[in-house]
Amino acid sequence: MIIEAKNVYKSFKTVQAVKGISISIAEGQFVALLGPNGAGKTTMVEMIEGIQKPDKGEILINGKKWKGNEDELHHIIGLSLQETYFIDKLTVMETLCLFASFYEEKKERAAEVMNLTGLDEKKKSYVVNLSGGQRQRLALGIALLNHPKILILDEPTTGLDPNARREIWNILYELKKKSNTSLLLTTHYMEEAEQLCDYVIIMDNGCILKEGTVSQLLNNNDGRKAIEFTLDGIHNNISFDTSLPGIFWDEAHQKGFVQLNEMEKDLKTFLSFLERKNLHIKNLECRRKTLDDLFTSLTGRHLHE
């Protein structure tokens, strides 16, 4: 395994941020840590990066501990954080060349990365004039300069518009096709985890709730289809039928969610329940279950809350 975290704990004063988490990532594997803000994702990643030290447990990178191997491990890891600050009056090319020099990489490598990240047309532009998406592509390019065996991205598309987010995704698609780099991605965008990663670890409140491939998570016995619905009128404290799998009513947004294992049988049960309770459907949508639906069924909350 390229990354192994074994029974890791981390606390800050009265807050226990990570509670006994174990993670294994193989070479070339793309793994997502998926969860809402405050789930403990960034703390876990900072321990893997060597920025934080765990209170308890062990972390191995390429089979080695951080202590005594810092220089070696720093050279095989590429990092891109939620927000990166650059020197405003350097151009894109000058910025890439500066960071390439830290790894004793030549100017040609900076040009390769600029092409990979689609920044060729901006090579003479000052960093201060870049858009948010372009700055994030530049940050990703810097993380790739040293041909990393491990790429760690901490919510790299937060705050970006859909087009800019897709541009980041496309860079990572190409990276996966052309290299054996392992990716550890933290995100609260369930679509991002589904699109990019082979394996997803769902976190909340410092713990792992579920993990597996997207197919394993969405095609298990917790329901293959999902219904979202709204009702006429305002409804609080609805007592739902326990025979309905994964049912949840969001009072704040006045909408409901129910998982279906067997479409015909469970849908009839759901409609019969509404009839008995004298509840009337305003809108109803049946669709494939998503990771957000799975998170909702596990916690009673949505990923973005």
Side-chain angles (χ1 to χ4, degrees):
M1 291 292 171
I2 195 77
I3 296 175
E4 289 183 273
K6 303 174 183 178
N7 200 30
V8 173
Y9 289 80
K10 184 66 179 178
S11 296
F12 300 96
K13 294 184 179 179
T14 59
V15 177
Q16 195 167 19
V18 174
K19 306 171 184 175
I21 286 181
S22 296
I23 293 173
S24 295
I25 299 177
E27 190 171 351
Q29 190 178 26
F30 276 32
V31 174
L33 287 182
L34 178 67
N37 294 330
K41 306 186 302 295
T42 295
T43 301
M44 189 67 212
V45 163
E46 286 180 349
M47 288 189 285
I48 291 171
E49 294 167 350
I51 295 173
Q52 300 276 0
K53 293 182 180 179
D55 298 331
K56 183 181 175 183
E58 182 179 57
I59 293 176
L60 300 177
I61 307 298
N62 206 25
K64 297 182 179 181
K65 296 181 179 180
W66 271 104
K67 189 174 182 179
N69 299 295
E70 290 89 351
D71 288 346
E72 178 186 346
L73 298 183
H74 282 142
H75 276 78
I76 67 169
I77 294 177
L79 304 177
S80 181
L81 307 178
Q82 293 182 35
E83 191 172 0
T84 305
Y85 293 93
F86 302 107
I87 301 171
D88 287 344
K89 292 303 181 180
L90 287 183
T91 67
V92 168
M93 187 60 176
E94 288 168 342
T95 300
L96 287 170
C97 286
L98 173 64
F99 281 89
S101 71
F102 299 156
Y103 294 105
E104 299 182 350
E105 294 283 351
K106 297 180 179 179
K107 185 177 180 180
E108 287 76 16
R109 178 56 181 165
E112 285 176 19
V113 165
M114 191 164 54
N115 179 260
L116 174 64
T117 54
L119 290 170
D120 293 282
E121 294 182 358
K122 295 291 181 179
K123 66 180 179 180
K124 294 183 179 179
S125 298
Y126 288 122
V127 170
V128 71
N129 295 324
L130 298 181
S131 67
Q134 290 164 348
R135 290 175 71 91
Q136 280 300 84
R137 279 189 277 151
L138 178 57
L140 178 55
I142 289 169
L144 294 172
L145 281 168
N146 61 324
H147 304 275
K149 293 182 70 173
I150 301 168
L151 180 63
I152 300 177
L153 306 181
D154 190 8
E155 302 201 8
T157 64
T158 296
L160 299 185
D161 63 56
N163 287 335
R165 188 173 298 135
R166 290 279 179 180
E167 288 171 350
I168 298 290
W169 292 5
N170 289 336
I171 295 167
L172 295 174
Y173 289 143
E174 289 301 308
L175 178 69
K176 192 171 188 179
K177 284 191 282 185
K178 296 177 179 178
S179 76
N180 202 33
T181 299
S182 303
L183 171 68
L184 177 59
L185 168 77
T186 74
T187 182
H188 59 260
Y189 296 120
M190 54 95 180
E191 184 185 7
E192 189 160 272
E194 287 187 56
Q195 290 290 328
L196 293 176
C197 294
D198 312 305
Y199 197 84
V200 177
I201 299 169
I202 301 176
M203 288 184 63
D204 190 39
N205 195 29
C207 299
I208 293 176
L209 299 181
K210 281 217 169 182
E211 60 182 297
T213 65
V214 172
S215 178
Q216 288 169 342
L217 291 171
L218 297 184
N219 294 306
N220 57 17
N221 293 326
D222 293 333
R224 294 180 176 82
K225 294 289 191 301
I227 284 178
E228 272 192 21
F229 63 95
T230 59
L231 301 171
D232 285 332
I234 303 298
H235 299 276
N236 297 316
N237 301 317
I238 300 175
S239 177
F240 281 109
D241 191 331
T242 55
S243 67
L244 293 167
I247 193 161
F248 168 70
W249 177 251
D250 183 347
E251 292 183 3
H253 298 95
Q254 286 292 301
K255 64 180 179 181
F257 164 80
V258 60
Q259 296 181 40
L260 307 179
N261 288 315
E262 300 176 45
M263 173 67 77
E264 293 79 7
K265 177 183 174 182
D266 291 339
L267 184 57
K268 287 178 182 177
T269 301
F270 172 62
L271 294 175
S272 296
F273 162 76
L274 293 179
E275 186 177 3
R276 289 197 309 274
K277 292 287 186 177
N278 198 30
L279 299 170
H280 302 285
I281 290 177
K282 185 176 181 181
N283 292 298
L284 182 146
E285 176 189 359
C286 184
R287 53 172 170 72
R288 182 180 71 90
K289 192 175 72 171
T290 68
L291 292 174
D292 187 43
D293 296 330
L294 177 58
F295 184 81
T296 301
S297 70
L298 293 170
T299 67
R301 296 181 289 111
H302 292 282
L303 277 166
H304 290 279
E305 295 180 357

